[in-house]
Amino acid sequence: MSPGGKDQSAGAEPFDWPLAMAMGLGALKLAPAAFWAMTPREFDAALEGHFGRRRRGGALSRPDLDALMDAFPDLSEEPTDDAEHGPIDDR
């Protein structure tokens, strides 16, 4: 245990209570009693039901990567000046 009495495993991030409370009480509009009575799995399911399923790590699939590359192509290699963005600074 740390000097403050909190058990912090090596490399573990502390739980973000302000974010959890903001999501539960704010975004999900749960009553405080309902929020505090939920298990972590119930809370996760409620978040998933409200915001949709999230990707859980891993690399993009090739089709997903191709779609991103098509949507956001690389800019040309040569710096240019244009009226919309102004001169390029080559520091």
Side-chain angles (χ1 to χ4, degrees), residues 3-30:
K6 294 181 182 177
D7 185 14
Q8 294 288 323
S9 300
E13 294 290 323
F15 187 76
D16 192 346
W17 283 108
L19 177 61
M21 291 171 63
M23 291 287 95
L25 303 174
L28 297 177
K29 298 178 178 30
L30 295 170

